[in-house]
């Protein structure tokens, strides 16, 4: 892991907030990783609380520079990170894995992981990103979260959390290299092949209206493309559309 500097913490409220404070103080270095054994107030998308049992799961944040990456291509970071996690987990457990747009990791219909990416922007460029990753590894009980699960519950295998971190970092390194050499279309296409419910009829809620539609893919900027039964295809930003499943 020569390109990553792993910082281990016994506990903090949020690994992303800890990394953000480090960035604001001018101490961040490209490839810094903060691995937290007990995250007490983790955040998911749209400031939702990320519940995790101490020492049972993997929670970490990564500081990464992306020189030259434009804001309009920001979603390619999401593609690289989510694909890295899927590829790493595929090496560790034999379970079905999908990506629920934009950045949830599912096995079947159960959520086993989530990703929160916070970009630092200057003009039309992304100067750096703080990438938070939470994976349910060995947790058994998820009180009040009927759709949550873990790698242990899905596979029956108890995993060493540090080993999972190392595997994810290996793939992150590879996909970050691809960001500078591949076209964004190649990563987007790979992301779409793993998209949950792609090509299948699903129920969605938009502005309190429930409708049937089929996910056709994502736009270059990361919007979700849904074709309604009427044949009309529209694109939706995260937070505006909800899938019912």
């Amino acid at each position: 892991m020569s390109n990553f500097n792993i910082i281990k913490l016994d506990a903090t409220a949020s690994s992303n907030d800890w990394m953000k404070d480090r960035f604001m103080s001018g101490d961040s270095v490209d490839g810094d990783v903060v691995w937290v054994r007990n995250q007490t107030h983790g955040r998911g998308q749209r400031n939702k609380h990320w519940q995790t049992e101490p020492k049972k799961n993997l929670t970490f944040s990564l500081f990464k520079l992306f020189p030259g990456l434009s804001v309009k291509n920001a979603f390619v970071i999401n593609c690289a990170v989510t694909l890295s996690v899927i590829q790493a987990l595929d090496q560790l457990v034999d379970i079905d894995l999908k990506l629920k747009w934009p950045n949830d990791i599912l096995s079947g219909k159960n959520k086993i992981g989530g990703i929160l990416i916070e970009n630092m922007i200057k003009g039309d460029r992304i100067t750096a990103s703080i990438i938070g990753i939470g994976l349910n590894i060995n947790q058994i009980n998820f009180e009040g979260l009927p759709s949550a699960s873990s790698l242990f519950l899905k596979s029956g295998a108890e995993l060493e959390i540090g080993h999972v971190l190392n595997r994810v970092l290996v793939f992150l390194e590879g996909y970050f290299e691809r960001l500078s050499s591949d076209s964004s279309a190649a990563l987007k296409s790979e992301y779409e092949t793993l998209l949950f419910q792609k090509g299948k009829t699903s129920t969605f809620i938009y502005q309190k209206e429930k409708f049937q539609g089929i996910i056709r893919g994502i736009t270059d900027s990361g919007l979700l493309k849904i074709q309604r039964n009427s044949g009309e295809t529209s694109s939706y930003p995260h937070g505006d559309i909800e899938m019912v499943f």
Side-chain angles (χ1 to χ4, degrees), residues 22 28 31 45 53 63 66 70 78 146 159 164 167 175 179 181 188 198 200-203 212 214 224 238 240 242:
R22 184 178 173 88
S28 293
Q45 286 290 329
E53 186 177 341
F63 179 80
F66 293 105
S70 67
N78 193 98
L159 300 174
V164 179
R167 296 314 302 162
Y175 272 96
L179 281 179
S181 59
K188 185 171 79 76
K198 182 174 182 284
K200 300 177 181 179
T201 299
S202 301
T203 301
Q212 298 282 306
I214 299 174
L224 186 67
H238 178 52
D240 283 10
E242 177 186 353

Side-chain angles (χ1 to χ4, degrees), residues 107-131:
S107 179
K109 292 186 176 182
N110 297 114
K111 181 174 178 177
I112 60 171
I115 293 157
L116 176 65
I117 300 174
E118 299 181 275
N119 295 319
M120 285 65 177
I121 296 170
K122 186 175 183 179
D124 65 347
R125 297 287 168 179
I126 296 173
T127 57
S129 295
I130 294 175
I131 301 163

Side-chain angles (χ1 to χ4, degrees), residues 1-8 19 22 28-35 60-66 80-81 84-85 88 129-133 162 164-179:
M1 296 289 86
S2 58
N3 291 334
F4 296 103
N5 169 41
I6 300 178
I7 304 160
K8 298 180 182 179
M19 190 65 79
R22 184 178 173 88
S28 293
V29 177
D30 185 37
D32 277 352
V33 173
V34 58
W35 172 18
F60 72 97
S61 292
L62 164 70
F63 179 80
K64 183 64 185 169
L65 299 176
F66 293 105
V81 174
S84 297
V85 173
S129 295
I130 294 175
I131 301 163
I133 298 177
V164 179
L165 172 63
N166 288 336
R167 296 314 302 162
V168 173
L169 292 179
V170 166
F171 282 96
L172 281 171
E173 187 172 21
Y175 272 96
F176 287 158
E177 289 177 1
R178 287 183 57 183
L179 281 179

Side-chain angles (χ1 to χ4, degrees), residues 142-231:
F142 294 90
E143 186 175 349
L145 297 171
S147 64
S149 190
S150 66
L151 297 180
F152 176 79
L153 290 174
K154 288 291 184 176
S155 70
E158 185 171 347
L159 300 174
E160 202 280 309
I161 296 172
H163 181 57
V164 179
L165 172 63
N166 288 336
R167 296 314 302 162
V168 173
L169 292 179
V170 166
F171 282 96
L172 281 171
E173 187 172 21
Y175 272 96
F176 287 158
E177 289 177 1
R178 287 183 57 183
L179 281 179
S180 60
S181 59
D182 284 13
S183 69
S184 58
L187 286 171
K188 185 171 79 76
S189 176
E190 191 174 337
Y191 176 96
E192 286 181 328
T193 63
L194 292 170
L195 200 54
F196 177 67
Q197 288 295 97
K198 182 174 182 284
K200 300 177 181 179
T201 299
S202 301
T203 301
F204 300 91
I205 299 175
Y206 176 65
Q207 295 182 345
K208 297 183 179 180
E209 173 205 358
K210 187 177 289 188
F211 70 92
Q212 298 282 306
I214 299 174
I215 294 174
R216 293 303 184 190
I218 55 172
T219 68
D220 290 341
S221 60
L223 303 182
L224 186 67
K225 294 188 291 187
I226 301 174
Q227 182 180 21
R228 293 184 179 234
N229 287 349
S230 62

